[in-house]
Amino acid sequence: MALRLTLPQARQIAVRAQLLDRGRPEHIVDVVRQLTLLQIDPTAAVAPNADLVLWSRIGASYRPEELKRELEEERSLFELDALIRPMEDLPLFLAGMAAFPVRERTREWLHANDRFRVDVLARLRDAGPLRSRNIPDTCVVPWASTGWTNNRNVTQLLEILVLRGEVAIARREGRERFFDLAERVYPAGVAPLPLEEARRIRDERRLRSLGIARTKAPEQPIEPVHVGQAGEDAVVDGVPGSWRVDPEAIGVPFEGGRTALLSPFDRLIYDRVRAQALFGFEYVLEMYKPAAQRRWGYFALPILSGDRLVGKLDALADRKRGVLTVHAVHEDVPFSTAIRDDVERELDDLATWLGLTR
């Protein structure tokens, strides 16, 4: 029999699972372990996504150089397919790496360029870590695409070899990635889990990080938003659809929420259908729209208050001028004085953390 949840209960489970309730975590690795991932996105209208997500959880004590250290020196985290994950989760992905690529076209291109692959691995073994532009292009058959990857043979091969587990991203300098042999980045002796077991555990980990999720959803390009059969069946009063809930989250008291400014890529709102169903929150990332067609702003930050998503912040960090400009605060619901004061404090904290004048 399905568990029955009230709408506030479902929202509170989701907020607590994403570490956005009153208590703040202290350590980066603990945050990534619970969230399972940080998405890397180059947009920095306010701050890069990974940094915004960590700031919204840890607070102003978080420093971006700490994330860099965990990735490049401590090796407690690793980057794969534009996502940062805990290194302890590597076995969950190794089996999928061994089976990559699954698309026939990619397999054929890789087979035709096997000599190219050997050349790149040898170059990395001798001189890595290297940027893609420091690796000679010796391909036999160029990569064909109607998009920006057309004839970008070195970059395309490196992407494939990372997803195959032969190459790994050793570090970044700004937006540039440095590639090296996976054996010099990943810990030695890590064995893959069987593929089906790994998928089951990943579903369970994803549900634990979301608290409550849709049973089924269309495939997403970055990370699924559905969790399969993980957890337990649930229904949410007044909300259609089939849901799965983390059983460990049931009955855990919600010890108060707080106000937080979220990244547009934050996992609390990443599944727009779930955000609409549970929070009544409509959101579209408008950076790709002409300015005249935007309702909320180029890179509007969702505003969380307690267990409700209450609005969007349209702000821009001008680092050359040293200013954080607030264009608008859009209220989805009328703000109380307390909410307005909390948002003001978060804005001040954001400006201080960025080292900018508001």
Side-chain angles (χ1 to χ4, degrees):
M1 185 175 180
L3 295 167
R4 193 168 199 92
L5 301 173
T6 66
L7 189 54
Q9 284 175 328
R11 289 199 301 258
Q12 290 166 10
I13 286 171
V15 169
R16 188 171 56 243
Q18 280 287 298
L19 303 177
L20 286 164
D21 53 353
R22 190 176 299 280
R24 285 187 182 270
E26 296 181 0
H27 303 295
I28 291 171
V29 177
D30 290 340
V31 174
V32 182
R33 183 178 291 121
Q34 174 60 26
L35 303 188
T36 74
L37 60 86
L38 292 174
Q39 183 176 337
I40 298 171
D41 187 89
T43 309
V46 176
N49 174 69
D51 293 327
L52 265 179
V53 169
L54 290 170
W55 168 77
S56 65
R57 272 68 175 181
I58 296 171
S61 64
Y62 165 68
R63 293 290 179 267
E65 57 267 25
E66 297 172 2
L67 177 59
K68 187 176 179 67
R69 184 176 66 247
E70 294 294 344
L71 277 163
E72 299 175 8
E73 298 176 20
E74 300 298 327
R75 299 290 190 201
S76 58
L77 306 172
F78 71 101
E79 177 183 340
L80 179 66
D81 204 14
L83 300 173
I84 296 170
R85 298 185 184 272
M87 189 64 82
E88 64 208 51
D89 282 358
L90 180 62
L92 302 177
F93 297 89
L94 290 175
M97 290 176 178
F100 188 87
V102 295
R103 292 178 60 189
E104 183 65 25
R105 173 175 177 259
T106 307
R107 285 203 306 269
E108 290 176 355
W109 185 80
L110 192 62
H111 178 74
N113 285 292
D114 190 60
R115 183 67 251 175
F116 179 27
R117 167 185 163 273
V118 171
D119 289 346
V120 168
L121 293 176
R123 175 76 170 175
L124 290 175
R125 187 173 301 280
D126 291 342
L130 293 172
R131 303 175 179 90
S132 60
R133 56 188 167 93
N134 297 131
I135 298 174
D137 183 350
T138 61
C139 80
V140 176
V141 179
W143 178 262
S145 169
T146 57
W148 72 276
T149 61
N150 187 60
N151 208 34
R152 294 173 62 96
N153 304 309
V154 174
T155 301
Q156 192 63 30
L157 180 64
L158 287 168
E159 298 281 5
I160 292 170
L161 295 182
V162 168
L163 293 175
R164 280 169 60 90
E166 294 181 86
V167 168
I169 297 166
R171 70 175 190 273
R172 282 181 179 250
E173 288 184 8
R175 295 182 182 181
E176 280 198 296
R177 295 171 297 175
F178 284 71
F179 298 87
D180 203 350
L181 298 179
E183 64 199 50
R184 297 203 289 232
V185 176
Y186 298 150
V190 178
L193 291 177
L195 189 57
E196 288 306 312
E197 181 183 354
R199 286 174 176 163
R200 175 182 58 78
I201 294 173
R202 286 172 60 184
D203 284 347
E204 292 171 352
R205 295 268 288 113
R206 190 179 312 113
L207 178 58
R208 198 172 306 127
S209 76
L210 296 172
I212 182 170
R214 293 187 284 161
T215 303
K216 296 180 180 179
E219 289 296 327
Q220 299 285 323
I222 298 293
E223 172 84 352
V225 296
H226 61 81
V227 295
Q229 294 303 305
E232 297 187 22
D233 273 318
V235 294
V236 180
D237 290 344
V239 178
S242 175
W243 299 86
R244 304 293 290 184
V245 66
D246 176 13
E248 295 182 8
I250 301 298
V252 179
F254 187 68
E255 298 178 353
R258 58 185 176 87
T259 299
L261 306 177
L262 306 179
S263 164
F265 302 105
D266 198 289
R267 303 310 286 188
L268 185 70
I269 55 96
Y270 189 85
D271 181 352
R272 311 299 195 217
V273 175
R274 188 186 82 141
Q276 180 73 62
L278 299 184
F279 294 89
F281 187 69
E282 180 187 0
Y283 187 85
V284 176
L285 182 59
E286 297 180 313
M287 58 191 287
Y288 304 109
K289 289 185 176 184
Q293 296 179 19
R294 294 174 191 150
R295 297 166 60 189
W296 305 304
Y298 177 84
F299 196 71
L301 307 186
I303 301 172
L304 175 71
S305 177
D307 65 355
R308 294 181 301 157
L309 289 161
V310 297
K312 293 99 175 169
L313 168 72
D314 181 9
L316 178 67
D318 187 337
R319 291 166 179 82
K320 289 184 178 179
R321 294 174 53 228
V323 171
L324 176 67
T325 300
V326 178
H327 297 296
V329 176
H330 302 279
E331 300 182 13
D332 288 2
V333 297
F335 284 9
S336 65
T337 300
I339 291 176
R340 193 168 289 110
D341 289 346
D342 286 345
V343 171
E344 288 292 320
R345 278 192 290 270
E346 282 298 297
L347 272 167
D348 288 339
D349 286 348
L350 177 60
T352 300
W353 174 65
L354 292 170
L356 302 176
T357 300
R358 183 179 155 193

